[in-house]
Amino acid sequence: YRALAGGSFNKRVLLRDLRDKLSDVDRAALDNAILRMTHEDGASLVELDNRREITNADRSAAIQIGGEPRHILWISR
């Protein structure tokens, strides 16, 4: 996360970029880790607001929560 966020927290990281960076990690394992972080570590998953900004890569990388896609990981520390 921090490598993609310029070395800091409180910045958005697109899941498509995170998945590319961690391409050697099994998708289910990565999804489980991210979801666990949202419950334990002050991380949030949010949807891209601008529908025009969403690419096929964003759609593919999204994590579904309550039937809604989440495209961004945000960690505040």
Side-chain angles (χ1 to χ4, degrees):
Y1 172 90
R2 290 181 60 196
L4 294 169
S8 64
F9 293 103
N10 294 314
K11 293 188 178 179
R12 81 179 200 169
V13 169
L14 294 170
L15 288 179
R16 70 172 185 226
D17 296 335
L18 186 65
R19 291 193 192 284
D20 284 345
K21 185 89 168 156
L22 300 173
S23 61
D24 58 329
V25 177
D26 175 73
R27 182 182 176 117
L30 182 57
D31 286 359
N32 287 335
I34 291 169
L35 290 169
R36 191 171 51 251
M37 289 169 56
T38 65
H39 296 293
E40 300 171 1
D41 294 332
S44 300
L45 285 168
V46 294
E47 186 175 3
L48 281 167
D49 291 333
N50 184 350
R51 298 281 183 191
R52 294 180 192 170
E53 184 181 2
I54 300 172
T55 66
N56 286 335
D58 292 311
R59 287 182 192 89
S60 177
I63 293 176
Q64 299 289 322
I65 298 178
E68 296 295 324
R70 305 294 191 238
H71 309 101
I72 299 167
L73 177 63
W74 183 285
I75 300 176
S76 56
R77 293 234 176 188

